[in-house]
Amino acid sequence: MKFLKHHKNLFLIKLFSVNSLGVVGKSLLVVFTQKIVAVFLGPEGMALAGNLKNALAFLGLGVTSGVDQGLLSYQSKYENKSRLLNKLYGTSMAFSIVGSILVFFVLFFGSKFWSNYLFSTPNYSYLFIILSFLLPFIAVYNLCFSIISGKSNYKKATLISFVSSALSVVLVLLLVINYRLSGVLLAITLTPILQLLALALLGKKEILLLFKNRIEFNKLFRSRLVGFMIMSFVAVALNNFVDIELRNYLIEKLSTKEAGYWTAISSLSTYYLSFMAGIYTLYILPKYAKIDGFTEYKFELINIYKIILPIFLVMFIVIYLCKGFVIKTLFSDEFLPMEILFKWQLIGDFVKIIAVVMAYQLVARNEWRLFILTEFVSYIILYFLGVYYIEKNGVEGIVFAHFVRYLLYLLIIVLSVRYAFIKRKVK
């Protein structure tokens, strides 16, 4: 209490408080939806829905060409230079238009391939045809949300995220009850419409900022955004590709049900780590973008750890001790075998938070070569350790691989960040 009272005026405390309220509200909606989906579809349906979510995240990256992270960073850096910001917006739109056209052809003409790859049947190809026409919605939402986040407007960002989730919950409920698996997959596909609707209601100013500028590849930002594009592509592409491959491997070697258990624990991980999502984009990235010296960076890093690590440590202990209740509340009794996955998933996620908070310095400083190397090594480790430990320990092996992966990743990031500062000759 003394700590919070002493730091009550810190922006990070305020942000974490508001963000937490938004996440709690959003999580309550998602928990209700997750329960319905679990009851109607079981672990098997959850595994297939997980594949589609991974694909949607990857395709969303292609639409914005990965420039949204660069837009977020430079929005903070040039917050008082409107002329430069206008050029930044125009260049971001230009990249997104090119990305949308390319992804449209990939989805529209490759719809059967995506359906077979994700669901082992061509029957869901229509989902990707629908999605191909929704790509502009994804682009506008991602870019506008980056502008809001870059301004550190955490209240608006939290509210938009909450409203879009609420709309998504309603749609999922309507469709899963009437159409079961097909309904859930269609609801996931239509998510971009709901996101844009929430943005139109609450983010009109940012939409106008984006569209009032001349769309062109400005020479200054064209080159500066390339690094962010590469970093975003590598991070999101590897993350979702490896997830899909490991899930398909679980289905092949064990069963769809076992893959569903891993998808369920991964979705639970997404829930509690979403408390950090707003912190990364609304505070850490803009803050790091303004830091030049290693001493200042280390001081900020320690302050962040002091606030977030005790909170997550307590949260994880409570989740572990109440894992049976958590499973029955979020899913159903059919998911109780996933209790064995909690220990290594939670420990791995705790190490992940430590590492990722540190790693955002590479993104903020546009150290894209170093970032790509660390991400590539990290996912290679996860994939091969995942395959090895699945063979050795079954489904529990994949969460142990998750822990070992982030332990090694933390060591890699410590060395990489230190090297980045030494290379720039910053003390």
Side-chain angles (χ1 to χ4, degrees):
M1 290 300 294
K2 288 183 178 180
F3 175 81
L4 290 177
K5 185 177 180 180
H6 180 67
H7 291 81
K8 66 181 180 180
N9 292 319
L10 278 180
F11 176 76
L12 182 54
I13 291 290
K14 294 178 181 178
L15 169 57
F16 197 89
S17 300
V18 174
N19 183 62
S20 296
L21 289 175
V23 171
V24 169
K26 180 179 175 180
S27 296
L28 289 174
L29 295 172
V30 176
V31 163
F32 181 61
T33 307
Q34 191 76 69
K35 182 74 174 181
I36 298 297
V37 173
V39 170
F40 275 87
L41 304 182
E44 295 87 349
M46 189 163 290
L48 297 179
N51 267 0
L52 182 57
K53 288 180 179 179
N54 284 130
L56 189 59
F58 173 70
L59 295 168
L61 164 74
V63 169
T64 56
S65 304
V67 300
D68 46 338
Q69 287 296 308
L71 173 56
L72 191 160
S73 181
Y74 288 123
Q75 171 70 48
S76 174
K77 188 172 183 179
Y78 300 123
E79 58 185 347
N80 297 318
K81 299 178 180 179
S82 59
R83 186 178 63 84
L84 287 175
L85 287 178
N86 291 337
K87 292 180 179 180
L88 173 63
Y89 300 151
T91 305
S92 299
M93 283 289 288
F95 275 117
S96 295
I97 289 172
V98 173
S100 296
I101 293 172
L102 292 176
V103 177
F104 173 84
F105 284 108
V106 170
L107 282 180
F108 189 85
F109 295 104
S111 57
K112 288 186 178 179
F113 163 79
W114 287 102
S115 182
N116 281 315
Y117 177 58
L118 297 174
F119 310 119
S120 300
T121 173
N123 295 340
Y124 295 106
S125 58
Y126 68 92
L127 295 174
F128 301 98
I129 294 174
I130 293 172
L131 187 59
S132 67
F133 289 98
L134 301 182
L135 298 176
F137 297 170
I138 298 175
V140 172
Y141 177 81
N142 287 350
L143 294 178
C144 287
F145 200 83
S146 292
I147 293 174
I148 295 168
S149 300
K151 293 179 178 180
S152 293
N153 193 339
Y154 55 91
K155 292 182 181 179
K156 181 181 284 191
T158 301
L159 189 58
I160 290 173
S161 180
F162 176 79
V163 171
S164 63
S165 296
L167 294 173
S168 179
V169 165
V170 174
L171 184 62
V172 169
L173 288 175
L174 290 174
L175 294 181
V176 72
I177 292 172
N178 292 293
Y179 302 103
R180 301 296 177 100
L181 178 60
S182 296
V184 170
L185 297 179
L186 181 59
I188 294 171
T189 304
L190 296 176
T191 297
I193 296 178
L194 305 179
Q195 290 178 328
L196 189 63
L197 179 58
L199 183 66
L201 292 172
L202 301 164
K204 293 179 182 178
K205 181 180 177 181
E206 284 71 28
I207 294 176
L208 292 174
L209 276 176
L210 198 62
F211 281 95
K212 77 174 186 178
N213 299 288
R214 181 181 178 184
I215 299 174
E216 62 176 351
F217 288 99
N218 178 265
K219 185 177 181 181
L220 173 65
F221 287 109
R222 181 184 61 199
S223 57
R224 291 188 178 186
L225 289 173
V226 167
F228 286 96
M229 290 169 58
I230 297 172
M231 287 190 289
S232 296
F233 181 81
V234 170
V236 178
L238 283 175
N239 176 37
N240 291 285
F241 176 74
V242 170
D243 267 9
I244 292 171
E245 287 297 311
L246 286 175
R247 190 178 291 109
N248 288 343
Y249 189 80
L250 280 168
I251 292 172
E252 179 185 347
K253 292 296 180 179
L254 300 176
S255 68
T256 307
K257 182 172 286 189
E258 299 280 0
Y261 296 148
W262 179 55
T263 304
I265 194 69
S266 297
S267 67
L268 175 61
S269 174
T270 301
Y271 296 157
Y272 53 68
L273 289 181
S274 61
F275 282 93
M276 281 301 300
I279 307 299
Y280 291 138
T281 57
L282 294 168
Y283 180 82
I284 293 176
L285 188 55
K287 186 71 174 180
Y288 282 179
K290 300 175 183 178
I291 291 176
D292 292 319
F294 181 73
T295 301
E296 185 183 358
Y297 163 71
K298 187 167 64 173
F299 178 79
E300 185 62 43
L301 188 67
I302 293 171
N303 282 337
I304 295 171
Y305 284 154
K306 283 180 180 179
I307 294 170
I308 65 173
L309 293 186
I311 295 173
F312 277 96
L313 180 60
V314 173
M315 183 192 299
F316 287 173
I317 291 173
V318 171
I319 290 173
Y320 181 77
L321 294 177
C322 303
K323 55 184 181 290
F325 172 78
V326 170
I327 293 171
K328 291 180 181 180
T329 302
L330 294 179
F331 308 104
S332 67
D333 290 349
E334 192 177 359
F335 287 79
L336 284 173
M338 66 182 272
E339 279 188 319
I340 61 172
L341 305 181
F342 273 71
K343 180 176 70 175
W344 293 116
Q345 181 70 38
L346 291 168
I347 297 174
D349 283 339
F350 190 76
V351 179
K352 176 181 179 179
I353 292 171
I354 297 172
V356 173
V357 169
M358 189 180 299
Y360 258 80
Q361 176 63 214
L362 299 180
V363 179
R365 306 307 302 176
N366 202 6
E367 292 282 353
W368 61 270
R369 293 181 181 84
L370 200 53
F371 179 84
I372 289 172
L373 179 61
T374 59
E375 287 292 298
F376 184 77
V377 171
S378 170
Y379 282 103
I380 288 293
I381 289 172
L382 175 61
Y383 179 77
F384 285 104
L385 285 180
V387 169
Y388 173 76
Y389 284 113
I390 288 171
E391 293 279 359
K392 188 176 180 181
N393 301 318
V395 67
E396 189 178 6
I398 197 167
V399 288
F400 183 72
H402 167 74
F403 161 68
V404 177
R405 173 260 190 111
Y406 276 110
L407 203 60
L408 296 174
Y409 179 68
L410 176 59
L411 177 61
I412 293 169
I413 287 299
V414 169
L415 297 174
S416 298
V417 171
R418 184 59 180 164
Y419 170 76
F421 275 102
I422 293 173
K423 186 183 69 171
R424 288 170 173 267
K425 297 180 180 180
V426 176
K427 296 183 180 179

